[in-house]
């Protein structure tokens, strides 16, 4: 598969499915943790499809507010809202004849989900503030890093839209479940970043590889990519030695949440970014994304200590119980209503 490294059985299955779905017009849903390669597969589906000469348009549904996302997708007419000074073409129109990749589809609001369902069913929509119906010929590929079935059960995602999207699901396995892919990926990134940094023959030490194969990769391929890039920049010679890896990858100083102060929190944020758990900063969303991850992890851990009791958890965290309740809902955490 173009641009995709890894020959493990689960990845071979991904390549097989990708090739198979590419020729059809059907909607594809890409599932999998952050950094597993969903965007690469979306692009591969487009490049292998009969639409390859048409546009490939990516929209990150998680990076924009509801109203901005609506006008980004469908466009708007002048005067539709205060800041609509001009008519604007939406991304669905821009993708005409090609593929639209709706990334983080789980982040869309219920109202927008109704409109998306209509596009999926009828290939029709109106620009915001307009009555004229627009028809497009667009192939839809969507991705989610949240469990949509669980969101449907909790009333956060429309069931009808889920079934419409889930025609051809492709699951990208986490890197820890295909650890044999780590060495070829590491070599691939070493070569790539060596070239970019004007170095040649970057050799990965056996010890480095041992650590890389032992680590659990919560940020998946993106995390591996970040560490290799960082190590190459830091390396003094043409060897990628284990001491260049972050301590927690070498099994030391695991990333842990104890009693946090501001400095700890800040360094943890940058760690999360480098682990690839927070996507590349996009439209100013990185801060909230990282803070959300830290918050989720913190609440989860304190809930565990307090055996899921909300009253105790709220008082230990020093936050209001209603606030805690909202956060638990938002992050879909397990808890006891007490
Ligand atoms: N099999 C692979 N071979 C080579 N590079 C890969 C592979 N899988 C992922 N990558 C690289 O890892 C990074 C993350 O991949 P990608 O953006 O496709 O992940 P994602 O599943 O969309 O993650 P997120 O849910 O965070 O958006 C990218 O730079 C991508 O090029
Ligand atoms: Mg992505």
């Amino acid at each position: 598969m173009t641009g995709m490294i890894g020959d493990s059985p689960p990845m071979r299955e991904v390549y097989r499915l990708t090739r198979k779905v590419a020729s059809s017009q059907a909607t594809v849903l890409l599932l999998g943790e952050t950094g597993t390669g969903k965007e690469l597969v979306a692009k591969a589906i487009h490049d292998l499809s009969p639409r390859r000469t048409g546009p490939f348009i990516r929209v990150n549904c998680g990076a924009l507010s509801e109203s901005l996302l609506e006008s980004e997708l469908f466009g708007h007419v002048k005067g539709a809202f205060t800041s609509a000074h001009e008519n604007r073409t939406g991304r669905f129109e821009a993708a005409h004849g090609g593929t639209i990749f709706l990334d983080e589809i789980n982040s869309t609001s219920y109202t927008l989900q109704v409109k998306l369902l209509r596009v999926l069913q009828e290939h029709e929509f109106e620009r915001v503030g307009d009555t004229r119906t627009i028809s497009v010929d667009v192939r839809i590929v969507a991705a989610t890093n949240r469990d949509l079935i669980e969101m449907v059960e909790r009333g956060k995602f429309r069931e009808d839209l889920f079934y419409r999207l889930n025609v051809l699901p492709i699951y990208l396995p986490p890197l820890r479940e295909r650890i044999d892919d780590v060495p070829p990926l590491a070599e691939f990134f070493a070569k790539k970043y060596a070239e970019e940094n004007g170095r040649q023959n970057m050799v990965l030490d056996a010890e480095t590889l041992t650590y890389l194969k032992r680590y659990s990769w919560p940020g998946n391929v993106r995390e591996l990519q970040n560490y290799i890039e960082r190590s190459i920049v830091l390396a003094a010679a043409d060897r990628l030695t284990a001491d260049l890896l972050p301590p927690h990858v070498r099994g030391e100083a695991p990333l842990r949440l104890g009693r946090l102060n501001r400095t700890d929190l800040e360094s943890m944020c940058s760690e999360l970014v480098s682990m690839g758990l927070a996507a590349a900063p996009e439209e100013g969303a990185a801060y909230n994304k990282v803070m959300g991850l830290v918050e989720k992890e913190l609440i989860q851990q304190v809930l565990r200590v307090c055996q899921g009791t909300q009253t105790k958890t709220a008082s230990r965290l020093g936050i209001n119980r209603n606030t805690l309740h909202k956060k638990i809902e938002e992050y879909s955490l397990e808890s006891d209503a007490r």
Side-chain angles (χ1 to χ4, degrees):
M1 183 84 37
T2 45
M4 295 205 69
I5 308 296
D7 198 33
S8 59
M11 282 314 282
R12 265 190 257 151
E13 177 63 6
V14 168
Y15 305 146
R16 189 185 70 82
L17 285 169
T18 305
R19 279 195 204 94
K20 206 156 182 180
V21 304
S23 56
S24 94
Q25 297 290 342
T27 301
V28 178
L29 181 63
L30 303 173
L31 311 158
E33 291 178 12
T34 184
T36 45
K38 297 186 290 296
E39 189 165 344
L40 277 186
V41 172
K43 188 70 177 46
I45 290 173
H46 174 75
D47 290 342
L48 295 168
S49 80
R51 296 172 171 268
R52 68 181 73 91
T53 53
F56 174 80
I57 305 282
R58 170 181 179 244
V59 182
N60 184 351
C61 304
L64 298 170
S65 69
E66 177 176 356
S67 52
L68 278 178
L69 180 60
E70 183 175 2
S71 103
E72 177 82 8
L73 288 171
F74 305 117
H76 62 244
V77 290
K78 189 176 169 182
F81 42 88
T82 338
S83 57
H85 303 302
E86 300 288 337
N87 286 344
R88 179 165 190 246
T89 314
R91 310 288 273 168
F92 270 107
E93 280 176 77
H96 185 66
T99 309
I100 194 165
F101 174 40
L102 302 174
D103 207 356
E104 298 189 25
I105 189 123
N106 49 291
S107 305
T108 51
S109 70
Y110 223 72
T111 334
L112 202 62
Q113 289 170 24
V114 179
K115 299 193 175 170
L116 285 174
L117 181 66
R118 180 161 161 237
V119 185
L120 261 88
Q121 279 171 338
E122 332 274 350
H123 289 270
E124 278 181 5
F125 58 89
E126 285 91 33
R127 290 185 182 173
V128 178
D130 202 0
T131 49
R132 204 165 43 103
T133 299
I134 295 173
S135 254
V136 282
D137 167 29
V138 170
R139 203 258 173 101
I140 298 173
V141 177
T144 175
N145 48 28
R146 288 275 295 271
D147 181 352
L148 289 184
I149 297 181
E150 190 224 31
M151 287 182 71
V152 168
E153 279 165 4
R154 288 160 27 85
K156 302 280 182 207
F157 201 86
R158 288 185 65 100
E159 191 173 13
D160 44 12
L161 179 60
F162 169 71
Y163 285 116
R164 267 279 162 182
L165 286 171
N166 199 38
V167 185
L168 296 170
I170 300 183
Y171 173 65
L172 276 288
L175 192 52
R176 65 182 166 281
E177 287 175 14
R178 46 183 171 106
I179 221 70
D180 287 346
D181 287 343
V182 168
L185 278 165
E187 303 279 358
F188 170 76
F189 292 129
K191 189 161 182 283
K192 174 179 150 112
Y193 290 112
E195 272 167 22
E196 277 186 29
N197 287 282
R199 286 162 173 252
Q200 283 154 359
N201 299 330
M202 229 21 200
V203 179
L204 279 146
D205 266 9
E207 193 194 10
T208 306
L209 277 175
T210 308
Y211 283 124
L212 295 180
K213 286 183 80 170
R214 217 183 273 159
Y215 183 61
S216 62
W217 302 111
N220 296 293
V221 182
R222 183 182 294 113
E223 186 180 8
L224 174 63
Q225 180 176 4
N226 288 348
Y227 293 156
I228 300 288
E229 179 177 17
R230 179 155 105 181
S231 307
I232 286 185
V233 172
L234 296 175
D238 57 0
R239 297 196 80 78
L240 229 161
T241 47
D243 59 301
L244 296 165
L245 296 171
H248 66 271
V249 178
R250 283 183 272 126
E252 295 161 20
L255 189 66
R256 268 187 349 125
L257 285 156
R259 284 168 192 277
L260 293 172
N261 59 37
R262 214 189 140 74
T263 325
D264 288 340
L265 206 61
E266 277 167 4
S267 69
M268 195 161 76
C269 284
S270 52
E271 200 63 56
L272 280 168
V273 173
S274 75
M275 284 165 82
L277 285 174
E282 191 163 17
E283 323 230 359
Y287 180 83
N288 285 339
K289 203 160 181 173
V290 173
M291 290 316 279
L293 283 161
V294 173
E295 189 174 61
K296 179 178 173 187
E297 182 70 13
L298 179 65
I299 294 176
Q300 208 162 17
Q301 296 222 9
V302 179
L303 267 173
R304 206 172 296 140
V305 173
C306 299
Q307 281 145 4
T309 315
Q310 292 188 14
T311 325
K312 272 194 204 163
T313 307
S315 92
R316 265 191 110 138
L317 287 167
I319 59 171
N320 182 295
R321 231 197 102 176
N322 287 334
T323 312
L324 176 68
H325 185 74
K326 278 197 210 117
K327 301 279 178 202
I328 288 173
E329 288 274 294
E330 186 184 337
Y331 299 130
S332 326
L333 298 174
E334 293 267 317
S335 84
D336 192 326
R338 283 172 301 139

